[in-house]
Short mmCIF file of all heavy atoms in Angstrom, two decimals:
data_model
loop_
_atom_site.label_atom_id
_atom_site.label_comp_id
_atom_site.label_asym_id
_atom_site.label_seq_id
_atom_site.Cartn_x
_atom_site.Cartn_y
_atom_site.Cartn_z
N MET A 1 0.92 -1.18 0.04
CA MET A 1 0.02 0.10 -0.04
C MET A 1 0.79 1.22 0.01
O MET A 1 1.83 1.36 0.76
CB MET A 1 -0.85 0.04 1.21
CG MET A 1 -2.01 1.01 1.13
SD MET A 1 -3.13 0.95 2.59
CE MET A 1 -2.76 2.42 3.35
N THR A 2 0.61 2.25 -0.91
CA THR A 2 1.32 3.36 -0.93
C THR A 2 0.49 4.50 -0.58
O THR A 2 -0.60 4.63 -1.07
CB THR A 2 1.94 3.61 -2.34
OG1 THR A 2 0.95 3.51 -3.33
CG2 THR A 2 3.09 2.71 -2.66
N SER A 3 1.02 5.43 0.26
CA SER A 3 0.12 6.60 0.63
C SER A 3 0.75 7.84 -0.15
O SER A 3 1.97 7.81 -0.30
CB SER A 3 0.19 6.79 2.14
OG SER A 3 1.55 7.01 2.55
N LEU A 4 -0.04 8.73 -0.42
CA LEU A 4 0.39 9.91 -1.08
C LEU A 4 1.35 10.73 -0.15
O LEU A 4 1.02 10.76 1.05
CB LEU A 4 -0.87 10.77 -1.51
CG LEU A 4 -1.51 10.26 -2.71
CD1 LEU A 4 -2.86 10.98 -2.82
CD2 LEU A 4 -0.72 10.46 -4.05
N PRO A 5 2.30 11.39 -0.66
CA PRO A 5 3.20 12.16 0.17
C PRO A 5 2.47 13.33 0.73
O PRO A 5 1.64 13.94 0.01
CB PRO A 5 4.30 12.56 -0.74
CG PRO A 5 3.89 12.41 -2.07
CD PRO A 5 2.77 11.31 -2.11
N LYS A 6 2.74 13.80 1.95
CA LYS A 6 2.12 14.87 2.60
C LYS A 6 3.20 15.95 2.87
O LYS A 6 4.28 15.74 2.98
CB LYS A 6 1.51 14.52 3.93
CG LYS A 6 0.23 13.63 3.81
CD LYS A 6 -0.88 14.33 4.49
CE LYS A 6 -2.26 13.71 4.15
NZ LYS A 6 -2.46 12.40 4.71
N CYS A 7 2.67 17.20 2.71
CA CYS A 7 3.53 18.37 2.81
C CYS A 7 4.01 18.41 4.32
O CYS A 7 3.29 18.19 5.28
CB CYS A 7 2.75 19.60 2.55
SG CYS A 7 3.67 21.06 2.91
N SER A 8 5.37 18.58 4.48
CA SER A 8 5.98 18.63 5.75
C SER A 8 5.71 19.87 6.48
O SER A 8 5.78 20.00 7.73
CB SER A 8 7.48 18.38 5.67
OG SER A 8 8.05 19.42 4.85
N LEU A 9 5.21 20.95 5.78
CA LEU A 9 4.92 22.24 6.46
C LEU A 9 3.48 22.34 6.82
O LEU A 9 3.16 22.58 8.00
CB LEU A 9 5.18 23.38 5.51
CG LEU A 9 6.68 23.72 5.19
CD1 LEU A 9 6.81 24.98 4.33
CD2 LEU A 9 7.53 23.82 6.45
N CYS A 10 2.51 22.01 5.97
CA CYS A 10 1.09 22.24 6.34
C CYS A 10 0.34 21.00 6.28
O CYS A 10 -0.86 20.98 6.64
CB CYS A 10 0.56 23.23 5.35
SG CYS A 10 0.29 22.58 3.68
N GLY A 11 0.96 19.81 5.82
CA GLY A 11 0.16 18.62 5.80
C GLY A 11 -0.77 18.35 4.60
O GLY A 11 -1.50 17.49 4.53
N GLY A 12 -0.70 19.40 3.68
CA GLY A 12 -1.47 19.36 2.46
C GLY A 12 -0.98 18.29 1.53
O GLY A 12 0.09 17.62 1.67
N ALA A 13 -1.79 17.95 0.49
CA ALA A 13 -1.47 16.88 -0.53
C ALA A 13 -0.31 17.45 -1.48
O ALA A 13 -0.48 18.47 -1.95
CB ALA A 13 -2.73 16.51 -1.25
N MET A 14 0.60 16.49 -1.69
CA MET A 14 1.66 16.81 -2.53
C MET A 14 1.27 16.28 -4.00
O MET A 14 0.70 15.14 -4.11
CB MET A 14 2.93 16.23 -2.16
CG MET A 14 3.39 16.60 -0.74
SD MET A 14 3.97 18.23 -0.58
CE MET A 14 5.57 18.22 -1.06
N LYS A 15 1.58 17.00 -4.98
CA LYS A 15 1.31 16.52 -6.37
C LYS A 15 2.56 16.67 -7.24
O LYS A 15 3.40 17.59 -6.99
CB LYS A 15 0.18 17.43 -6.99
CG LYS A 15 -0.77 16.70 -7.76
CD LYS A 15 -1.85 17.66 -8.34
CE LYS A 15 -1.52 18.22 -9.64
NZ LYS A 15 -2.49 19.18 -10.22
N ALA A 16 2.79 15.76 -8.13
CA ALA A 16 3.91 15.86 -9.10
C ALA A 16 3.88 17.04 -9.83
O ALA A 16 2.82 17.43 -10.38
CB ALA A 16 3.89 14.60 -9.96
N GLY A 17 4.96 17.76 -9.91
CA GLY A 17 5.06 19.06 -10.65
C GLY A 17 6.43 19.35 -10.88
O GLY A 17 7.31 18.61 -10.82
N HIS A 18 6.68 20.76 -11.12
CA HIS A 18 8.01 21.17 -11.35
C HIS A 18 8.25 22.49 -10.40
O HIS A 18 7.36 23.16 -10.12
CB HIS A 18 8.15 21.67 -12.74
CG HIS A 18 8.17 20.47 -13.79
ND1 HIS A 18 6.94 20.16 -14.38
CD2 HIS A 18 8.98 19.58 -14.14
CE1 HIS A 18 7.18 19.06 -15.15
NE2 HIS A 18 8.45 18.80 -14.98
N THR A 19 9.62 22.59 -10.07
CA THR A 19 9.94 23.71 -9.31
C THR A 19 11.28 24.27 -9.75
O THR A 19 12.07 23.43 -10.21
CB THR A 19 10.00 23.30 -7.78
OG1 THR A 19 10.20 24.48 -6.98
CG2 THR A 19 11.03 22.32 -7.50
N PRO A 20 11.53 25.57 -9.63
CA PRO A 20 12.87 26.03 -9.92
C PRO A 20 13.77 25.89 -8.81
O PRO A 20 13.33 25.85 -7.61
CB PRO A 20 12.62 27.55 -10.24
CG PRO A 20 11.36 27.89 -9.42
CD PRO A 20 10.58 26.62 -9.30
N PHE A 21 15.07 25.70 -8.98
CA PHE A 21 16.11 25.43 -7.93
C PHE A 21 17.25 26.42 -8.26
O PHE A 21 17.77 26.39 -9.32
CB PHE A 21 16.50 23.94 -8.00
CG PHE A 21 17.26 23.53 -6.93
CD1 PHE A 21 16.70 23.22 -5.62
CD2 PHE A 21 18.62 23.30 -6.97
CE1 PHE A 21 17.48 22.75 -4.57
CE2 PHE A 21 19.44 22.87 -5.91
CZ PHE A 21 18.77 22.55 -4.75
N THR A 22 17.66 27.18 -7.19
CA THR A 22 18.74 28.01 -7.35
C THR A 22 19.84 27.70 -6.40
O THR A 22 19.64 27.48 -5.15
CB THR A 22 18.27 29.49 -7.02
OG1 THR A 22 17.18 29.73 -7.79
CG2 THR A 22 19.28 30.49 -7.36
N ILE A 23 21.11 27.70 -6.83
CA ILE A 23 22.22 27.44 -5.97
C ILE A 23 23.18 28.75 -6.05
O ILE A 23 23.65 29.16 -7.19
CB ILE A 23 23.01 26.22 -6.32
CG1 ILE A 23 22.08 25.02 -6.07
CG2 ILE A 23 24.24 26.15 -5.52
CD1 ILE A 23 22.42 23.81 -6.84
N ASP A 24 23.42 29.35 -5.02
CA ASP A 24 24.31 30.45 -4.83
C ASP A 24 25.62 29.92 -4.33
O ASP A 24 25.73 29.55 -3.17
CB ASP A 24 23.63 31.54 -3.89
CG ASP A 24 24.06 32.81 -4.20
OD1 ASP A 24 25.30 32.99 -4.65
OD2 ASP A 24 23.42 33.81 -3.94
N PHE A 25 26.69 30.15 -5.08
CA PHE A 25 28.00 29.59 -4.56
C PHE A 25 29.01 30.73 -4.75
O PHE A 25 28.66 31.93 -5.30
CB PHE A 25 28.46 28.24 -5.18
CG PHE A 25 28.58 28.38 -6.72
CD1 PHE A 25 29.91 28.42 -7.22
CD2 PHE A 25 27.57 28.34 -7.56
CE1 PHE A 25 30.10 28.52 -8.58
CE2 PHE A 25 27.70 28.31 -9.00
CZ PHE A 25 28.94 28.40 -9.42
N GLU A 26 30.25 30.53 -4.34
CA GLU A 26 31.24 31.56 -4.26
C GLU A 26 31.44 32.31 -5.55
O GLU A 26 31.48 33.48 -5.67
CB GLU A 26 32.63 30.90 -3.85
CG GLU A 26 33.44 31.94 -3.07
CD GLU A 26 34.69 31.13 -2.56
OE1 GLU A 26 34.80 30.10 -2.15
OE2 GLU A 26 35.82 31.89 -2.90
N LYS A 27 31.53 31.55 -6.74
CA LYS A 27 31.84 32.19 -8.01
C LYS A 27 30.61 32.57 -8.78
O LYS A 27 30.84 33.42 -9.73
CB LYS A 27 32.67 31.08 -8.88
CG LYS A 27 34.11 31.17 -8.64
CD LYS A 27 34.88 29.89 -9.33
CE LYS A 27 34.42 29.76 -10.70
NZ LYS A 27 34.97 28.45 -11.26
N GLY A 28 29.49 32.23 -8.41
CA GLY A 28 28.36 32.63 -9.21
C GLY A 28 26.98 31.90 -8.74
O GLY A 28 26.87 31.50 -7.63
N VAL A 29 26.12 31.91 -9.66
CA VAL A 29 24.79 31.47 -9.30
C VAL A 29 24.33 30.41 -10.42
O VAL A 29 24.57 30.72 -11.58
CB VAL A 29 23.67 32.57 -9.25
CG1 VAL A 29 22.26 31.98 -8.98
CG2 VAL A 29 24.08 33.62 -8.21
N VAL A 30 23.82 29.33 -9.93
CA VAL A 30 23.20 28.39 -10.95
C VAL A 30 21.81 28.26 -10.74
O VAL A 30 21.28 28.06 -9.56
CB VAL A 30 23.88 27.04 -10.79
CG1 VAL A 30 23.28 26.02 -11.84
CG2 VAL A 30 25.35 27.05 -10.97
N VAL A 31 20.91 28.50 -11.79
CA VAL A 31 19.52 28.32 -11.70
C VAL A 31 19.09 27.18 -12.50
O VAL A 31 19.49 27.15 -13.67
CB VAL A 31 18.74 29.65 -12.08
CG1 VAL A 31 17.29 29.48 -12.07
CG2 VAL A 31 19.23 30.86 -11.36
N ILE A 32 18.39 26.23 -11.89
CA ILE A 32 17.93 25.05 -12.63
C ILE A 32 16.39 25.18 -12.69
O ILE A 32 15.68 25.34 -11.62
CB ILE A 32 18.39 23.74 -11.94
CG1 ILE A 32 19.88 23.79 -11.86
CG2 ILE A 32 17.77 22.56 -12.79
CD1 ILE A 32 20.39 22.61 -10.93
N ARG A 33 15.90 25.20 -13.90
CA ARG A 33 14.43 25.41 -14.05
C ARG A 33 13.70 24.00 -14.35
O ARG A 33 14.37 23.08 -14.83
CB ARG A 33 14.12 26.38 -15.19
CG ARG A 33 14.80 27.73 -14.99
CD ARG A 33 14.29 28.68 -16.02
NE ARG A 33 12.92 29.02 -16.01
CZ ARG A 33 12.25 29.11 -16.98
NH1 ARG A 33 12.63 29.04 -18.27
NH2 ARG A 33 10.88 29.42 -16.97
N HIS A 34 12.43 24.00 -13.98
CA HIS A 34 11.59 22.76 -14.36
C HIS A 34 12.28 21.55 -13.65
O HIS A 34 12.39 20.47 -14.33
CB HIS A 34 11.47 22.55 -15.78
CG HIS A 34 10.82 23.66 -16.50
ND1 HIS A 34 11.20 24.49 -17.36
CD2 HIS A 34 9.42 24.11 -16.32
CE1 HIS A 34 10.38 25.45 -17.74
NE2 HIS A 34 9.26 25.24 -17.13
N VAL A 35 12.62 21.60 -12.44
CA VAL A 35 13.11 20.40 -11.75
C VAL A 35 11.87 19.62 -11.22
O VAL A 35 10.98 20.15 -10.63
CB VAL A 35 13.90 20.82 -10.43
CG1 VAL A 35 14.36 19.63 -9.70
CG2 VAL A 35 14.99 21.69 -10.85
N PRO A 36 11.80 18.32 -11.73
CA PRO A 36 10.69 17.50 -11.23
C PRO A 36 10.60 17.40 -9.78
O PRO A 36 11.67 17.06 -9.09
CB PRO A 36 10.93 16.15 -11.90
CG PRO A 36 12.13 16.39 -12.94
CD PRO A 36 12.85 17.58 -12.45
N ALA A 37 9.50 17.68 -9.18
CA ALA A 37 9.35 17.59 -7.73
C ALA A 37 7.90 17.34 -7.35
O ALA A 37 7.00 17.44 -8.15
CB ALA A 37 9.82 18.97 -7.20
N GLN A 38 7.67 17.01 -6.04
CA GLN A 38 6.42 16.94 -5.51
C GLN A 38 6.09 18.40 -4.98
O GLN A 38 6.89 18.89 -4.19
CB GLN A 38 6.32 15.92 -4.31
CG GLN A 38 6.69 14.55 -4.76
CD GLN A 38 5.58 13.97 -5.62
OE1 GLN A 38 4.42 14.16 -5.51
NE2 GLN A 38 6.04 13.08 -6.55
N VAL A 39 4.95 18.96 -5.44
CA VAL A 39 4.56 20.31 -4.97
C VAL A 39 3.33 20.30 -4.12
O VAL A 39 2.26 19.56 -4.65
CB VAL A 39 4.44 21.28 -6.22
CG1 VAL A 39 4.15 22.65 -5.82
CG2 VAL A 39 5.70 21.19 -7.05
N CYS A 40 3.32 20.98 -3.00
CA CYS A 40 2.14 21.08 -2.20
C CYS A 40 1.06 21.88 -2.85
O CYS A 40 1.33 23.05 -3.32
CB CYS A 40 2.52 21.72 -0.86
SG CYS A 40 1.08 21.89 0.29
N ASN A 41 -0.16 21.29 -2.85
CA ASN A 41 -1.32 21.98 -3.46
C ASN A 41 -1.71 23.10 -2.64
O ASN A 41 -2.35 24.13 -3.12
CB ASN A 41 -2.62 21.00 -3.41
CG ASN A 41 -2.51 20.14 -4.71
OD1 ASN A 41 -1.88 20.51 -5.71
ND2 ASN A 41 -3.15 18.95 -4.63
N THR A 42 -1.49 23.11 -1.36
CA THR A 42 -1.90 24.15 -0.41
C THR A 42 -0.98 25.35 -0.22
O THR A 42 -1.24 26.48 -0.55
CB THR A 42 -2.19 23.51 0.97
OG1 THR A 42 -3.00 22.38 0.85
CG2 THR A 42 -2.98 24.52 1.87
N CYS A 43 0.23 25.06 0.05
CA CYS A 43 1.27 26.19 0.36
C CYS A 43 2.33 26.37 -0.72
O CYS A 43 3.07 27.29 -0.64
CB CYS A 43 1.85 26.01 1.72
SG CYS A 43 3.09 24.65 1.82
N GLY A 44 2.41 25.40 -1.67
CA GLY A 44 3.37 25.60 -2.74
C GLY A 44 4.71 25.04 -2.38
O GLY A 44 5.74 25.11 -3.12
N GLU A 45 5.00 24.48 -1.07
CA GLU A 45 6.19 23.88 -0.76
C GLU A 45 6.67 22.73 -1.76
O GLU A 45 5.76 21.97 -2.01
CB GLU A 45 6.10 23.41 0.72
CG GLU A 45 7.33 22.65 1.19
CD GLU A 45 8.52 23.40 1.47
OE1 GLU A 45 8.44 24.75 1.34
OE2 GLU A 45 9.52 22.88 1.85
N SER A 46 7.87 22.69 -2.12
CA SER A 46 8.20 21.64 -3.04
C SER A 46 9.20 20.68 -2.33
O SER A 46 10.07 21.11 -1.57
CB SER A 46 8.83 22.28 -4.29
OG SER A 46 9.84 22.96 -4.03
N TRP A 47 9.17 19.48 -2.86
CA TRP A 47 10.03 18.39 -2.20
C TRP A 47 10.69 17.68 -3.42
O TRP A 47 10.07 17.05 -4.29
CB TRP A 47 9.26 17.45 -1.37
CG TRP A 47 10.00 16.46 -0.79
CD1 TRP A 47 10.92 16.64 0.27
CD2 TRP A 47 9.95 14.99 -1.06
NE1 TRP A 47 11.49 15.34 0.62
CE2 TRP A 47 10.91 14.35 -0.21
CE3 TRP A 47 9.30 14.29 -1.96
CZ2 TRP A 47 11.07 12.97 -0.23
CZ3 TRP A 47 9.47 12.92 -1.98
CH2 TRP A 47 10.39 12.28 -1.13
N ILE A 48 12.01 17.64 -3.49
CA ILE A 48 12.79 16.99 -4.58
C ILE A 48 13.24 15.73 -4.11
O ILE A 48 13.84 15.55 -2.96
CB ILE A 48 13.95 17.97 -5.01
CG1 ILE A 48 13.39 19.28 -5.52
CG2 ILE A 48 14.80 17.29 -6.13
CD1 ILE A 48 14.44 20.39 -5.69
N GLU A 49 12.98 14.73 -4.90
CA GLU A 49 13.37 13.24 -4.57
C GLU A 49 14.90 13.12 -4.70
O GLU A 49 15.52 13.77 -5.41
CB GLU A 49 12.67 12.34 -5.50
CG GLU A 49 11.16 12.21 -5.12
CD GLU A 49 10.47 11.32 -6.12
OE1 GLU A 49 10.97 10.18 -6.44
OE2 GLU A 49 9.41 11.76 -6.62
N ASP A 50 15.31 12.10 -3.82
CA ASP A 50 16.85 11.84 -3.88
C ASP A 50 17.44 11.59 -5.25
O ASP A 50 18.44 12.07 -5.48
CB ASP A 50 17.03 10.59 -2.93
CG ASP A 50 16.79 10.92 -1.47
OD1 ASP A 50 16.71 12.18 -1.18
OD2 ASP A 50 16.79 9.99 -0.64
N VAL A 51 16.70 10.81 -6.05
CA VAL A 51 17.23 10.56 -7.43
C VAL A 51 17.39 11.80 -8.19
O VAL A 51 18.40 11.96 -8.93
CB VAL A 51 16.24 9.57 -8.12
CG1 VAL A 51 16.77 9.20 -9.47
CG2 VAL A 51 15.92 8.45 -7.28
N THR A 52 16.45 12.66 -8.09
CA THR A 52 16.51 13.90 -8.74
C THR A 52 17.62 14.84 -8.32
O THR A 52 18.37 15.50 -9.00
CB THR A 52 15.10 14.71 -8.71
OG1 THR A 52 14.10 13.80 -9.04
CG2 THR A 52 15.09 15.87 -9.57
N SER A 53 17.74 14.84 -6.90
CA SER A 53 18.81 15.79 -6.35
C SER A 53 20.21 15.30 -6.70
O SER A 53 21.11 16.07 -6.81
CB SER A 53 18.56 15.94 -4.89
OG SER A 53 18.63 14.69 -4.13
N ALA A 54 20.28 13.91 -6.96
CA ALA A 54 21.63 13.38 -7.35
C ALA A 54 21.93 13.94 -8.78
O ALA A 54 23.04 14.17 -9.04
CB ALA A 54 21.54 11.92 -7.25
N GLN A 55 20.94 13.98 -9.60
CA GLN A 55 21.01 14.44 -10.97
C GLN A 55 21.32 15.94 -10.97
O GLN A 55 22.24 16.38 -11.74
CB GLN A 55 19.83 14.29 -11.80
CG GLN A 55 19.58 12.76 -12.14
CD GLN A 55 18.28 12.61 -12.87
OE1 GLN A 55 17.46 13.49 -13.04
NE2 GLN A 55 17.91 11.33 -13.25
N LEU A 56 20.70 16.72 -10.00
CA LEU A 56 20.96 18.09 -9.82
C LEU A 56 22.40 18.37 -9.53
O LEU A 56 23.00 19.30 -10.10
CB LEU A 56 20.13 18.66 -8.75
CG LEU A 56 18.69 18.99 -9.05
CD1 LEU A 56 18.02 19.54 -7.88
CD2 LEU A 56 18.53 19.91 -10.18
N GLU A 57 22.97 17.54 -8.58
CA GLU A 57 24.26 17.70 -8.14
C GLU A 57 25.30 17.66 -9.31
O GLU A 57 26.27 18.40 -9.37
CB GLU A 57 24.58 16.66 -7.10
CG GLU A 57 25.44 17.09 -5.95
CD GLU A 57 25.52 16.15 -4.87
OE1 GLU A 57 24.48 15.97 -4.09
OE2 GLU A 57 26.49 15.45 -4.70
N ILE A 58 25.06 16.62 -10.17
CA ILE A 58 25.95 16.42 -11.34
C ILE A 58 25.89 17.61 -12.22
O ILE A 58 26.94 18.15 -12.68
CB ILE A 58 25.54 15.15 -12.13
CG1 ILE A 58 25.68 13.99 -11.28
CG2 ILE A 58 26.26 15.04 -13.46
CD1 ILE A 58 25.09 12.67 -11.71
N ARG A 59 24.77 18.25 -12.49
CA ARG A 59 24.47 19.42 -13.30
C ARG A 59 25.22 20.49 -12.76
O ARG A 59 25.93 21.31 -13.40
CB ARG A 59 23.01 19.67 -13.46
CG ARG A 59 22.25 18.49 -14.18
CD ARG A 59 22.18 18.83 -15.70
NE ARG A 59 21.11 18.04 -16.24
CZ ARG A 59 20.37 18.29 -17.22
NH1 ARG A 59 20.44 19.59 -17.74
NH2 ARG A 59 19.45 17.62 -17.66
N VAL A 60 25.01 20.69 -11.41
CA VAL A 60 25.56 21.87 -10.71
C VAL A 60 27.13 21.80 -10.73
O VAL A 60 27.67 22.87 -11.00
CB VAL A 60 25.01 22.00 -9.23
CG1 VAL A 60 25.91 23.04 -8.46
CG2 VAL A 60 23.58 22.38 -9.37
N LYS A 61 27.70 20.65 -10.48
CA LYS A 61 29.18 20.46 -10.49
C LYS A 61 29.69 20.78 -11.84
O LYS A 61 30.76 21.55 -11.96
CB LYS A 61 29.53 18.96 -10.21
CG LYS A 61 29.34 18.69 -8.67
CD LYS A 61 30.57 17.87 -8.08
CE LYS A 61 30.39 17.82 -6.66
NZ LYS A 61 29.68 16.55 -6.18
N ALA A 62 29.04 20.38 -13.01
CA ALA A 62 29.43 20.64 -14.28
C ALA A 62 29.40 22.19 -14.49
O ALA A 62 30.27 22.78 -15.08
CB ALA A 62 28.58 20.07 -15.36
N ALA A 63 28.33 22.85 -14.14
CA ALA A 63 28.18 24.28 -14.33
C ALA A 63 29.21 25.01 -13.44
O ALA A 63 29.71 26.06 -13.88
CB ALA A 63 26.75 24.76 -13.81
N GLN A 64 29.53 24.57 -12.31
CA GLN A 64 30.54 25.21 -11.46
C GLN A 64 31.95 25.22 -12.01
O GLN A 64 32.72 26.13 -11.70
CB GLN A 64 30.51 24.57 -10.00
CG GLN A 64 29.43 25.05 -9.10
CD GLN A 64 29.34 24.42 -7.81
OE1 GLN A 64 29.89 23.31 -7.62
NE2 GLN A 64 28.81 24.98 -6.85
N SER A 65 32.21 24.16 -12.86
CA SER A 65 33.56 23.98 -13.42
C SER A 65 33.73 24.97 -14.56
O SER A 65 34.79 25.13 -15.05
CB SER A 65 33.79 22.56 -13.76
OG SER A 65 33.00 22.17 -14.75
N GLY A 66 32.62 25.56 -15.08
CA GLY A 66 32.67 26.44 -16.18
C GLY A 66 33.06 27.78 -15.68
O GLY A 66 33.20 27.99 -14.51
N GLN A 67 33.26 28.73 -16.73
CA GLN A 67 33.72 30.03 -16.34
C GLN A 67 32.67 31.12 -16.04
O GLN A 67 32.91 32.21 -15.64
CB GLN A 67 34.68 30.52 -17.43
CG GLN A 67 35.90 29.74 -17.65
CD GLN A 67 36.77 29.77 -16.34
OE1 GLN A 67 37.09 30.70 -15.71
NE2 GLN A 67 37.20 28.42 -15.90
N ARG A 68 31.45 30.64 -16.46
CA ARG A 68 30.42 31.59 -16.34
C ARG A 68 29.89 31.84 -14.90
O ARG A 68 29.90 30.97 -14.09
CB ARG A 68 29.17 31.17 -17.22
CG ARG A 68 29.44 31.41 -18.62
CD ARG A 68 28.12 31.28 -19.33
NE ARG A 68 28.00 29.96 -19.98
CZ ARG A 68 26.98 29.50 -20.62
NH1 ARG A 68 25.95 30.28 -20.81
NH2 ARG A 68 26.96 28.34 -21.23
N GLN A 69 29.55 33.17 -14.62
CA GLN A 69 29.06 33.48 -13.30
C GLN A 69 27.65 33.19 -13.12
O GLN A 69 27.14 33.09 -11.99
CB GLN A 69 29.23 35.02 -13.06
CG GLN A 69 30.74 35.35 -12.69
CD GLN A 69 30.76 36.75 -12.17
OE1 GLN A 69 29.81 37.52 -12.29
NE2 GLN A 69 31.85 37.12 -11.47
N PHE A 70 26.90 33.11 -14.20
CA PHE A 70 25.41 32.81 -14.11
C PHE A 70 25.07 31.81 -15.10
O PHE A 70 25.41 31.98 -16.35
CB PHE A 70 24.71 34.18 -14.40
CG PHE A 70 23.25 34.04 -14.19
CD1 PHE A 70 22.74 33.95 -12.88
CD2 PHE A 70 22.33 33.93 -15.21
CE1 PHE A 70 21.39 33.87 -12.66
CE2 PHE A 70 20.97 33.91 -15.06
CZ PHE A 70 20.56 33.85 -13.78
N GLU A 71 24.48 30.78 -14.71
CA GLU A 71 24.25 29.63 -15.52
C GLU A 71 22.79 29.23 -15.32
O GLU A 71 22.25 29.05 -14.20
CB GLU A 71 25.10 28.47 -15.17
CG GLU A 71 25.00 27.21 -16.08
CD GLU A 71 25.86 27.26 -17.37
OE1 GLU A 71 26.95 27.81 -17.24
OE2 GLU A 71 25.45 26.68 -18.34
N VAL A 72 22.07 29.08 -16.43
CA VAL A 72 20.62 28.62 -16.31
C VAL A 72 20.45 27.24 -16.97
O VAL A 72 20.85 27.15 -18.22
CB VAL A 72 19.63 29.60 -16.95
CG1 VAL A 72 18.15 29.08 -16.84
CG2 VAL A 72 19.73 31.02 -16.22
N ILE A 73 20.03 26.30 -16.31
CA ILE A 73 19.92 24.93 -16.78
C ILE A 73 18.43 24.68 -16.89
O ILE A 73 17.70 24.97 -15.86
CB ILE A 73 20.66 23.84 -15.95
CG1 ILE A 73 22.16 24.24 -15.97
CG2 ILE A 73 20.29 22.51 -16.47
CD1 ILE A 73 22.87 23.53 -14.86
N ASP A 74 17.90 24.03 -17.97
CA ASP A 74 16.41 23.74 -17.95
C ASP A 74 16.40 22.23 -18.06
O ASP A 74 16.80 21.53 -18.96
CB ASP A 74 15.77 24.39 -19.14
CG ASP A 74 14.26 24.35 -18.98
OD1 ASP A 74 13.76 23.52 -18.38
OD2 ASP A 74 13.66 25.30 -19.53
N MET A 75 15.78 21.58 -16.94
CA MET A 75 15.69 20.26 -16.90
C MET A 75 14.64 19.64 -17.75
O MET A 75 14.64 18.43 -18.07
CB MET A 75 15.32 19.73 -15.46
CG MET A 75 16.37 20.01 -14.42
SD MET A 75 17.70 18.70 -14.24
CE MET A 75 16.80 17.55 -13.18
N ALA A 76 13.80 20.45 -18.29
CA ALA A 76 12.67 20.10 -19.16
C ALA A 76 13.19 19.76 -20.66
O ALA A 76 12.57 19.09 -21.41
CB ALA A 76 11.59 21.20 -19.26
N ILE A 77 14.39 20.30 -20.91
CA ILE A 77 14.97 20.00 -22.22
C ILE A 77 15.70 18.70 -22.27
O ILE A 77 16.59 18.41 -21.44
CB ILE A 77 15.96 21.21 -22.65
CG1 ILE A 77 15.20 22.55 -22.66
CG2 ILE A 77 16.71 20.85 -24.04
CD1 ILE A 77 16.03 23.79 -22.77
ZN1 ZN B 1 2.04 22.67 2.28
#
């Protein structure tokens, strides 16, 4: 039996959706758009799964090794 994930903030129902994710580091900023996540219907809190955050980490590391101060990555592409 699987239960639907509940929001850790308000207890509302979480639904599969997308959320933007921003990382601010010493050399610049990486913005990742359309990150697959569970999004709360009530308060909009988003929760990124472990598998997805592992993928994010790889993308961010690649962006950090570049020379650009501002990098926008779109996960939907
Ligand atoms: Zn909520």
